[in-house]
Amino acid sequence: MLGFEESYEVCNCKKITIEQIKDVIINQNASTLREIQEITTAGTDCRFCVFPQGDFGKMKKKIYCKDILDEMKKELKNG
């Protein structure tokens, strides 16, 4: 996934990994950022991990929930 290990922690506040986000997209049919947030709680605390425009932290994230969602949508569409 975009050069990251599945165990890479996307949301440090809630300890949510790429693998967990992918799981809710594939197995629970989450198709929006809001659904990912509701199911995993990722991005519900500081919100820096949701998308780059909302990252106001001193250290910028390397990958965001939106990146994962967009990549998974492409993969699912292309089979």
Side-chain angles (χ1 to χ4, degrees):
M1 169 67 50
L2 304 170
F4 293 90
E5 296 289 326
E6 297 285 305
S7 61
Y8 183 82
E9 199 172 86
V10 178
C11 178
N12 302 114
C13 297
K14 301 292 185 171
K15 310 289 187 225
I16 305 298
T17 64
I18 290 173
E19 181 177 31
Q20 291 170 293
I21 294 171
K22 285 176 62 175
D23 180 67
V24 300
I25 294 168
I26 295 168
N27 297 315
Q28 296 185 44
N29 299 318
S31 60
T32 65
L33 288 171
R34 178 168 296 226
E35 289 172 344
I36 291 170
Q37 288 177 297
E38 288 174 356
I39 297 168
T40 66
T41 69
T44 59
D45 200 359
C46 76
R47 301 178 188 231
F48 294 168
C49 67
V50 179
F51 46 79
Q53 298 85 345
D55 189 350
F56 299 108
K58 290 183 181 181
M59 296 289 292
K60 301 300 178 200
K61 302 293 290 179
K62 295 179 181 175
I63 189 170
Y64 299 90
C65 295
K66 182 169 181 4
D67 298 330
I68 299 165
L69 178 61
D70 291 346
E71 186 65 24
M72 289 303 299
K73 282 183 175 180
K74 284 181 200 172
E75 286 181 25
L76 293 170
K77 181 180 177 183
N78 295 329

